[in-house]
Structure formats: C-alpha cells, structure tokens
C-alpha cells in the first residue's frame, strides 16, 4: 500500500514535469511565431519605404526624411539587398571583417536564402531588388530559451530524484541500524530472564512456576526469530483471533513492565477474527505498550480495547502519558523519530509497516492531549465470512 502510494506520487511528479515542459515549449513557440511575424512585417515596411524612395514619391524633404528614418530604424534584423544579377547592393546589421568581406557576405546570403522567402522590391527603371533577412539576435535568444528552460527543468528533476534517492538511502540506513538495535532489545529481555533462571537452577530452587516462566522465555526467543523472518519476507496470513493475541501479549508483558503501570484489557464477548499474522500483530501491541510505558515514565494506566465495527476490527490503545504535540503527529511514524535519549525510533514505524503493508489496515493517532494522554487506533479488515454474518 505504501509502495503503491510512492509509485503514484513519482508518476504524478513525472507527469507534472512533462506538463510544465510541454506548456513552456508551447508558449515559447507561440511567442517565437509572433516575433517572427513582427520581424517580417518590419522588413516589408522597410522594403516599401525603399520602393517609395526609389520611385521619388515622397512629398517633400520631410517625407523623404521619414522614409530614411524607417529604413535606418532596423537595428537588430540582419538583412542583405540584392539586384536582379545577384549582386549585393547593401547590407545591414551584419559584421564582416578582413579582406574577404565579399565572401563572408555571400556566405550569409546563401544562409538567408535557405530561411525566409525574399521580399521583392520594384525599383522602377532600376528593375527588381530582393531583400533577404534572417532572425534577429532577440529572436534567436527567444528560440534558445525553451531549450535552456528544458535543461533547467531536467536538471531540477535530476537533482530532485537524487535527493529522493539520498533520502531513501538514509531512511534505509536508519531502518537497518534501528532493526539491529531492535533485535538486541528484543533478545535482551528473554536472555536476561534465562540467565536468572540459570542461577536459580544452580541454587537448586526449582518450582513449577519457574519452569513455566522458562518455557515462556524459550517461546519468546522462538517468536522473536519468527518475527524478523516474517517482517522481511512476503506476507503469509492465517485466521487470527484478536482477543487471544491481545490477551497473550499482555499476559507476557505485564510482569516485565513497571509495577506502577496498570493495564486494563477490554475484550468483546464475541470472537473477532481477521486474516493476518499473530506473531507480527503481537509485536505491534508490544511496541505500543512500550511507548506508553515510556510516555508515562513508568507510572500510569493503559486501556486496551477491542471491538467490531462494520467491516473492521477496531483496537484502541490509550495511555495517561505526556501526550503528543500536534506538530509532531505526522512525524511519529517516520523511521528514526524518537523523543527518548536512548531510543532509535523504530517501534512505531515497524508497527505502521506491519499494520498497513502486511494486514491492509490503518494505524493512526485518534486523539492526543498534552499532559493528559494519547489514544492510538488500529483498523484491521475482518475476514469476509465474519462480515457477511
């Protein structure tokens, strides 16, 4: 489920980038066409002025001055004027240097002929002249702009992908580091217990209760190995009685947490069945209980309730701890986030992964108030046969 959301977010990002690029190219193309049309119009006005000047149709010196100003106003568009014999009569906005200036102009003229069609100027008795021109420096810059913009966008996408990959690698590193510490922590409790039982055995103090506790810790070690095997492999589900999972988990954890923490387990009369992994679900409850004990600083009350609502089994986990600030609610399920000095911030992220990816459920903070406590809610889909009943 989380991976699907990541894939869709990446596809959405690529789609948005493609839309931005396409829109930029479209707008730039429209702008280039508009500027090109305006430059064509300017050259036609230039040619018209030259034609009128040659025909001596100007009315007095003022009109003649106006026509000359129009001709000379072209400061950006490179242009070459040729006669009917293809001899260059004049040129404008073209830089030539050295003794081979004629060859340079002929080369420019060949390039201009491959571009826009020539503007024909009827010079009267002097015959026809042909005005060839090319894009101005401004238009060339506009033509180049969308490609520069595309390069910038591609660079941005590349850097964004690099940043995402770097973040993902950092997150994976935090997960592996946290998983190693979680392994040591999970193994620590039963190993410590077994060491104590060993000392009792040496002292010859053996009773049925001690044997039962040893069996619990042995089973605990087997369950821890099973947890890490399942959390790293494909999900294999079976029918799970949630009441039984909650009861067994609390029975094991109660003697191993602070005696000043009371746990109130509220279970329904009817059986609540889901498809899932009993081993992984008990891990979720343990992580929530440990967090609650830490939040209450080893003293307070935990209420764990189970009910059936519609198509879901609903587990509410409430404590009387210090609460969570609203600004932190979105961060608590991220790997590496913790408020403890010696914590590694993996418990809630593992719980979220187990609930959402392995059981197609949801886990979230139902409510939290500073100084009052926090309630987590877990929603797990019921087995279809239970829903139909």
């Amino acid at each position: 489920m989380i991976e699907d959301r990541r894939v869709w977010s990446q596809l959405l990002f690529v789609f948005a980038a493609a839309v931005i690029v396409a829109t930029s190219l479209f707008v730039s193309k429209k702008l280039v066409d508009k500027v090109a049309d305006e430059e064509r119009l300017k050259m036609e006005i230039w040619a018209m002025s030259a034609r009128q000047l040659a025909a001596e149709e100007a009315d007095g010196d003022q009109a003649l001055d106006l026509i000359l100003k129009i001709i000379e106003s072209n400061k950006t568009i490179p242009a070459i004027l040729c006669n009917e014999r293809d001899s260059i009569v004049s040129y404008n906005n073209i830089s030539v240097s050295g003794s081979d200036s004629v060859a340079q102009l002929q080369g420019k003229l060949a390039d201009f002929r491959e571009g826009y069609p020539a503007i024909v100027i009827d010079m009267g008795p002097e015959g026809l002249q042909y005005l060839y021109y090319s894009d101005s420096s401004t238009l060339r810059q506009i033509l180049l702009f969308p490609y520069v913009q595309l390069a910038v966008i591609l660079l941005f996408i590349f850097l964004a992908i690099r940043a995402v990959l770097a973040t993902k690698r950092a997150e994976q590193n935090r997960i592996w580091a946290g998983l190693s510490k979680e392994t040591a922590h999970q193994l620590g409790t039963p190993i410590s217990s077994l060491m104590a039982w060993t000392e009792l055995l040496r002292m010859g103090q053996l009773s049925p209760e001690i044997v039962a506790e040893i069996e619990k810790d042995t089973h605990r070690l087997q369950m821890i190995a099973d947890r890490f095997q399942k959390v790293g492999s494909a999900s294999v589900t079976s029918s799970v009685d949630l009441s039984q999972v909650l009861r067994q988990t609390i029975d094991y954890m109660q003697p191993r947490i602070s005696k000043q923490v009371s746990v109130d387990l509220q279970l329904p009369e009817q059986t609540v069945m889901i498809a899932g992994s009993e081993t992984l679900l008990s891990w979720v409850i343990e992580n929530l209980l440990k967090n609650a004990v830490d939040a209450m600083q080893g003293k307070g009350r935990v209420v764990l309730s189970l009910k059936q609502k519609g198509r879901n089994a609903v587990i509410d986990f409430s404590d009387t701890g210090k609460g969570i600030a609203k600004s932190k609610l979105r961060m608590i399920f991220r790997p590496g986030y913790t408020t403890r000095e010696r914590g590694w911030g993996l418990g809630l992220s593992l719980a979220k992964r187990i609930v959402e990816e392995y059981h197609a459920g949801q886990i979230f903070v139902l409510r939290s108030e500073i100084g009052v406590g926090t309630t987590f809610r877990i929603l797990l889909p019921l087995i279809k046969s239970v829903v139909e009943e």
Side-chain angles (χ1 to χ4, degrees), residues 8 81 92 121 131 150 155 202 285 338 348:
W8 277 109
L81 187 63
N92 195 14
I121 305 174
L131 179 62
L150 177 61
L155 178 62
R202 287 174 181 171
I285 302 304
T338 180
L348 287 178

Side-chain angles (χ1 to χ4, degrees), residues 253-327:
M253 293 298 297
Q254 183 76 72
R256 290 162 176 81
I257 60 176
S258 171
K259 298 187 185 312
Q260 293 181 300
V261 173
S262 64
V263 180
D264 182 8
L265 184 60
Q266 301 175 357
L267 301 176
E269 294 182 1
Q270 75 272 24
T271 303
V272 181
M273 301 294 294
I274 67 161
S277 167
E278 179 179 336
T279 302
L280 294 181
L281 287 173
S282 67
W283 199 357
V284 172
I285 302 304
E286 283 184 21
N287 282 328
L288 290 176
L289 182 57
K290 290 175 184 176
N291 280 347
V293 173
D294 289 333
M296 296 184 297
Q297 298 180 339
K299 184 178 181 180
R301 181 169 179 259
V302 172
V303 177
L304 181 57
S305 66
L306 171 66
K307 60 184 176 182
Q308 183 174 318
K309 187 176 181 181
R311 298 177 178 271
N312 293 312
V314 181
I315 302 173
D316 284 341
F317 197 104
S318 302
D319 63 56
T320 57
K322 55 188 176 182
I324 305 170
K326 289 184 179 180
S327 60

Side-chain angles (χ1 to χ4, degrees), residues 16-30 149:
V19 169
I20 292 173
V21 171
T23 303
S24 174
L25 293 175
F26 177 77
V27 172
S28 299
K29 180 65 168 58
K30 286 289 186 182
Q149 192 176 32

Side-chain angles (χ1 to χ4, degrees), residues 65-266:
D65 290 341
L66 177 61
I67 294 170
L68 289 173
K69 286 181 179 179
I70 293 174
I71 294 174
E72 294 171 356
S73 65
N74 176 26
K75 301 294 184 182
T76 58
I77 305 173
I80 298 177
L81 187 63
C82 299
N83 57 24
E84 291 179 311
R85 296 184 297 278
D86 274 348
S87 298
I88 296 176
V89 176
S90 65
Y91 61 90
N92 195 14
N93 300 320
I94 299 175
S95 298
V96 293
S97 60
S99 58
D100 59 343
S101 59
V102 176
Q104 293 179 39
L105 288 172
Q106 289 293 339
K108 289 286 186 181
L109 179 59
D111 293 338
F112 288 2
R113 281 176 171 165
E114 293 179 0
Y116 299 107
I119 298 175
V120 181
I121 305 174
D122 187 358
M123 304 299 291
E126 296 183 11
L128 300 177
Q129 290 188 352
Y130 300 91
L131 179 62
Y132 297 93
Y133 68 98
S134 184
D135 296 329
S136 66
S137 58
T138 303
L139 184 57
R140 286 197 297 272
Q141 291 174 3
I142 295 175
L143 282 168
L144 190 62
F145 174 73
Y147 299 101
V148 174
Q149 192 176 32
L150 177 61
V152 171
I153 292 174
L154 290 177
L155 178 62
F156 170 76
I157 293 174
F158 172 74
L159 293 176
I161 292 174
R162 286 289 300 272
V164 169
L165 292 177
T167 303
K168 191 172 182 179
R169 282 195 296 270
E171 181 177 315
Q172 289 173 342
N173 290 337
R174 287 197 301 269
I175 290 175
W176 282 115
L179 199 57
S180 299
K181 294 176 182 178
E182 178 70 14
T183 305
H185 180 70
Q186 289 281 328
L187 294 173
T189 302
I191 288 175
S192 298
S193 297
L194 288 174
M195 292 173 65
W197 303 140
T198 303
E199 290 298 321
L200 288 175
L201 287 172
R202 287 174 181 171
M203 296 168 60
Q205 298 178 9
L206 190 62
S207 67
E209 290 79 10
I210 293 177
V211 173
E213 290 299 322
I214 292 175
E215 288 178 347
K216 282 184 180 180
D217 286 323
T218 304
H219 174 70
R220 173 75 174 179
L221 288 171
Q222 293 174 340
M223 184 174 63
I224 289 171
D226 190 33
R227 283 177 178 177
F228 283 101
Q229 180 183 12
K230 288 183 177 179
V231 83
S233 59
S235 176
V236 178
T237 61
S238 59
S239 297
V240 176
D241 183 348
L242 282 180
S243 295
Q244 181 178 341
V245 172
L246 297 180
R247 188 181 297 106
Q248 289 178 349
T249 304
I250 297 303
D251 286 346
Y252 179 82
M253 293 298 297
Q254 183 76 72
R256 290 162 176 81
I257 60 176
S258 171
K259 298 187 185 312
Q260 293 181 300
V261 173
S262 64
V263 180
D264 182 8
L265 184 60
Q266 301 175 357

